[in-house]
Amino acid sequence: MTDALPSPETVVVISAFALIYMLVLLRKTLQGKFDLYDFLMLSMVAIIPAGFALFPTLAYLVSHLTGVVFPFVVMFGALFLVVFAFMHNMTARLHRLERQNCALIQEQSLMALEMKARESGQSGG
């Protein structure tokens, strides 16, 4: 197991990205463009690499415990896990919206038929 520490430049770049990205996400969440779940999942894109860069001994410990030689492999695995969890939730939301949309279209069609029947009943009598 190696214990190479990230360079100060790497730490600064990753920290700056994480800070700017988190501020943008926070602003969009406060504006109502994202909900709390989206904020948490999207923030993992910044938090996970920042955690690995700012706490390299913890990163090496996690990689050693998982049996992976390089910590960045564990980091990318964690990022993929976050992406798949986010996509799973988005797919579930999409299907729920599709069902809701279908129900609303059916309800609108029934209301249109009911209105048409009332109109023809009033003008025919």
Side-chain angles (χ1 to χ4, degrees):
M1 179 170 97
T2 63
D3 287 333
L5 298 176
S7 69
E9 294 86 0
T10 302
V11 172
V12 167
V13 168
I14 290 175
S15 299
F17 166 76
L19 179 66
I20 292 167
Y21 184 72
M22 293 295 290
L23 288 174
V24 169
L25 284 178
L26 183 62
R27 188 185 75 202
K28 289 189 178 202
T29 303
L30 292 175
Q31 291 173 348
K33 295 180 181 176
F34 293 141
D35 61 6
L36 187 58
Y37 177 81
D38 293 334
F39 172 76
L40 291 174
M41 291 303 282
L42 290 171
S43 66
M44 288 298 136
V45 172
I47 292 172
I48 291 173
F52 273 72
L54 296 174
F55 306 105
T57 53
L58 180 64
Y60 282 109
L61 176 67
V62 170
S63 69
H64 179 70
L65 291 175
T66 58
V68 178
V69 176
F70 301 110
F72 70 88
V73 175
V74 176
M75 180 186 73
F76 282 112
L79 288 171
F80 273 116
L81 179 67
V82 168
V83 167
F84 285 126
F86 190 68
M87 286 184 61
H88 180 270
N89 187 22
M90 284 180 55
T91 303
R93 278 194 216 171
L94 179 65
H95 286 290
R96 187 176 64 245
L97 286 172
E98 281 183 88
R99 287 190 302 273
Q100 185 180 17
N101 190 29
C102 184
L104 288 171
I105 290 171
Q106 290 172 351
E107 186 175 336
Q108 182 184 17
S109 298
L110 288 172
M111 289 175 69
L113 284 173
E114 187 177 309
M115 287 178 60
K116 189 182 249 184
R118 285 184 184 171
E119 288 175 1
S120 59
Q122 288 178 351
S123 63

